[in-house]
Amino acid sequence: MSTDTASTGAASTKDGADPSLTVRDNRTGTEYDVPVTDGTVRASDLAKIRIDDEPGIAVYDPGFVNTASCRSAITYIDGDKGILEYRGYPIEQLAEKSNYLEVAYLLVHGELPTHQQYDTWEHQVTFHTFVHENVKSFMEGFRYDAHPMGMLLASVGALSTFYPESRNISDANIRQMQIVRLIAKMPTLGAWAFRHAQGKPYVYPDNDLGYAANFLSMLFKMSEQRFEADERLIKALEVLFILHADHEQNCSTNAVRSVGSSQVDPYSATSAGIAALFGPLHGGANEAVLKMLRRIGSLDKVPEFIDGVKNGNERLMGFGHRVYKNFDPRATIIKKACDDVFEVTGVNPLLKIAVELEKVALEDEYFVTRKLYPNVDFYSGLIYEALRFPPEMFTVLFAIPRTSGWLAQWLELTEDSEQKIARPKQIYTGKRDLDYVPFADRG
Ligand code: CMC
């Protein structure tokens, strides 16, 4: 038996100095010391475990269930304890005391801004809310019933053609400029996608309003001089934006990082994030929750629906999470925000069905043993509907605030010397060495 060090320069752990794994390859009897850093082993160290010229050992992990793809200092989650922190600050404090633009600054820059830094940031973002008129014509070209997420995805991608300098991602000033532009323009594009479906004229930004108030104005203003949204609704939207701003390496963030790793411009990388968010297992879940609640229709249908879920007919949308296995702290805050919004708008009648579903599920062995709890999407759709948004808009309302998180993660990626172009391995299971068969000879 021989012992190899599977990592360059890492010593054996026998003296207890450096944590490591001893891996014994039973095919050859060789033992390897694989260094453990931050609770992980490097896949490249495992690749050193090999027989002759065969490929080294790789990790098979569909869905990245147990694979870290980066080191990140942006968002911390402890799924068992229900902890979510941005740059070390608990989500509960940020939701209560901060506003979305300040949180966006925190995510992107890593620190809470000073007063002066905040004023400059707010001014910059506000100054860039307008888009080129050709973007408007571009959006007007969509079919009358285009899904607003499809419109958002395409128009964010199209922005790269308006800012060709954005391709120079090695310039820090250019990077910052695009981050400001994207955070500034997302509400404009999102609101216009909404107006489009309604056949209403697009409303230009009102730069005397705050971020959320301006968004509400672009969504709902008609002929009045200024759209005055209820302060409680503005606050609720700010809270929802804060809760959705980042969530470490989720599907869409991974898409942004993966596409961004090719060193493409940030508009293209962000549109990849929007595409990933569109899916019903990710940001599209809140739209699916509303459709599900409407389909259930009344309280007496809840048990039958739950039985269908347990029989594997469908999923209880808005339940379960890859990381949270106790509770989703965002869901707790949103449930409280529901009360504030319903005070202004009146109670959404679907709330009763949602509350009953939650009660039944939380007492049911199927959901308890699988650790399935309400996630951020379970109650957010009820608020959005009370705010007069159609379900198709819900994911847009997720994409707008998530843009700051995507860009913080993208920035971290561009500044991380360890990052490489994303290129997973595969286990090839197909045929090999076939000879081409002409049409005439094919069965
Ligand atoms: N309803 C019924 N059963 C479920 C659900 C659900 N919502 N979620 C998971 N399960 C079951 C699943 O069938 C499996 O059971 P079994 O072990 O018998 O095969 C077990 O729980 C584990 O599920 P999984 O699919 O392996 O878990 P995952 O970590 O891969 O999936 C998830 C996480 C969020 C995709 C999943 O829970 C789900 O599809 N939930 C519904 C969609 C949803 O609400 N998505 C929003 C997520 S939060 C917002 C965001 O971050 O995007």
Side-chain angles (χ1 to χ4, degrees):
M1 185 197 302
S2 60
T3 302
D4 285 3
T5 299
S7 108
T8 42
S12 157
T13 63
K14 294 209 173 60
D15 59 0
D18 296 311
S20 69
L21 295 185
T22 300
V23 177
R24 180 186 153 87
D25 186 342
N26 290 327
R27 299 170 301 179
T28 59
T30 308
E31 280 191 358
Y32 299 82
D33 284 336
V34 184
V36 175
T37 311
D38 297 325
T40 62
V41 295
R42 285 192 175 253
S44 57
D45 285 343
L46 294 181
K48 291 170 188 162
I49 302 174
R50 64 199 306 163
I51 301 174
D52 302 328
D53 290 338
E54 283 181 25
I57 292 290
V59 176
Y60 178 57
D61 188 8
F64 303 120
V65 175
N66 193 27
T67 298
S69 62
C70 62
R71 302 173 71 84
S72 181
I74 299 171
T75 290
Y76 175 80
I77 300 177
D78 183 329
D80 291 326
K81 296 195 182 122
I83 294 173
L84 169 61
E85 293 170 359
Y86 297 159
R87 300 284 188 183
Y89 294 97
I91 192 68
E92 291 80 5
Q93 287 186 27
L94 293 170
E96 191 193 331
K97 298 180 179 162
S98 187
N99 66 35
Y100 173 68
L101 269 193
E102 186 180 47
V103 167
Y105 183 99
L106 172 69
L107 288 168
V108 170
H109 293 277
E111 302 283 350
L112 284 171
T114 61
H115 219 299
Q116 198 186 358
Q117 285 167 331
Y118 179 79
D119 288 347
T120 309
W121 171 249
E122 186 186 37
H123 173 77
Q124 283 177 329
V125 171
T126 308
F127 188 78
H128 286 281
T129 50
F130 279 73
V131 295
H132 194 288
E133 279 295 289
N134 287 0
V135 175
K136 194 170 153 221
S137 328
F138 174 78
M139 293 184 82
E140 282 166 347
F142 279 93
R143 255 176 65 141
Y144 67 96
D145 58 352
H147 196 292
M149 273 300 273
M151 289 181 69
L152 188 69
L153 157 58
S155 44
V156 168
L159 285 183
S160 73
T161 66
F162 291 85
Y163 306 109
E165 76 275 16
S166 65
R167 293 169 66 194
N168 182 6
I169 64 157
S170 55
D171 184 314
N173 292 329
I174 290 180
R175 290 201 297 265
Q176 279 301 327
M177 187 70 252
Q178 315 321 310
I179 289 174
V180 167
R181 281 186 175 136
L182 266 162
I183 292 174
K185 293 179 200 310
M186 285 296 282
T188 312
L189 299 176
W192 288 4
F194 170 76
R195 302 283 291 203
H196 184 84
Q198 306 206 325
K200 290 181 181 158
Y202 297 179
V203 175
Y204 288 105
D206 178 344
N207 284 348
D208 288 333
L209 296 175
Y211 194 82
N214 184 27
F215 179 50
L216 288 169
S217 164
M218 289 187 284
L219 288 161
F220 298 121
K221 185 171 180 297
M222 290 306 290
S223 58
E224 62 272 47
Q225 277 291 318
R226 165 158 294 162
F227 182 81
E228 306 272 3
D230 188 300
E231 281 300 327
R232 289 166 294 180
L233 298 185
I234 296 173
K235 172 68 187 157
L237 197 57
E238 289 274 357
V239 169
L240 285 161
F241 278 6
I242 290 169
L243 298 183
H244 287 90
D246 195 50
H247 212 230
E248 51 119 304
Q249 306 313 312
N250 54 86
C251 178
S252 58
T253 301
N254 181 60
V256 169
R257 279 183 173 265
S258 186
V259 171
S261 75
S262 72
Q263 302 192 347
V264 74
D265 68 88
Y267 300 99
S268 303
T270 301
S271 60
I274 297 172
L277 194 70
F278 199 178
L281 293 190
H282 191 12
N286 48 20
E287 180 179 346
V289 169
L290 250 278
K291 287 185 175 151
M292 172 189 79
L293 293 176
R294 201 158 282 128
R295 196 156 42 84
I296 296 171
S298 57
L299 289 180
D300 56 312
K301 299 272 170 47
V302 167
E304 184 187 329
F305 174 81
I306 291 282
D307 282 346
V309 170
K310 286 158 63 176
N311 289 335
N313 300 346
E314 60 183 303
R315 290 200 162 194
L316 173 50
M317 300 310 284
F319 255 67
H321 200 276
R322 173 64 61 78
V323 181
Y324 295 119
K325 298 298 175 196
N326 189 348
F327 69 96
D328 180 340
R330 302 169 300 172
T332 314
I333 300 170
I334 286 192
K335 214 172 164 187
K336 156 91 182 58
C338 271
D339 299 336
D340 301 341
V341 170
F342 295 162
E343 199 183 291
V344 183
T345 62
V347 176
N348 188 327
L350 294 175
L351 178 68
K352 276 194 186 139
I353 301 176
V355 170
E356 180 66 11
L357 269 178
E358 180 183 357
K359 185 169 154 284
V360 172
L362 293 183
E363 287 167 0
D364 192 294
E365 195 244 339
Y366 175 96
F367 297 92
V368 174
T369 51
R370 289 171 178 77
K371 301 190 172 184
L372 302 171
Y373 297 89
N375 60 48
V376 69
D377 289 319
F378 194 65
Y379 284 104
S380 63
L382 290 171
I383 297 188
Y384 295 146
E385 187 172 77
L387 292 172
R388 294 190 285 141
F389 290 111
E392 299 75 46
M393 267 302 282
F394 295 177
T395 319
V396 172
L397 295 159
F398 192 154
I400 291 170
R402 182 53 61 88
T403 301
S404 58
W406 287 332
L407 292 168
Q409 301 270 352
W410 170 78
L411 193 62
E412 192 175 63
L413 165 94
T414 61
E415 292 170 352
D416 182 349
S417 59
E418 268 204 324
Q419 285 296 318
K420 293 175 178 297
I421 186 165
R423 206 319 185 171
K425 284 178 98 80
Q426 64 167 9
I427 300 171
Y428 179 69
T429 60
K431 297 174 182 169
R432 292 217 38 222
D433 293 333
L434 302 180
D435 284 324
Y436 181 79
V437 182
F439 272 124
D441 298 342
R442 292 180 209 167

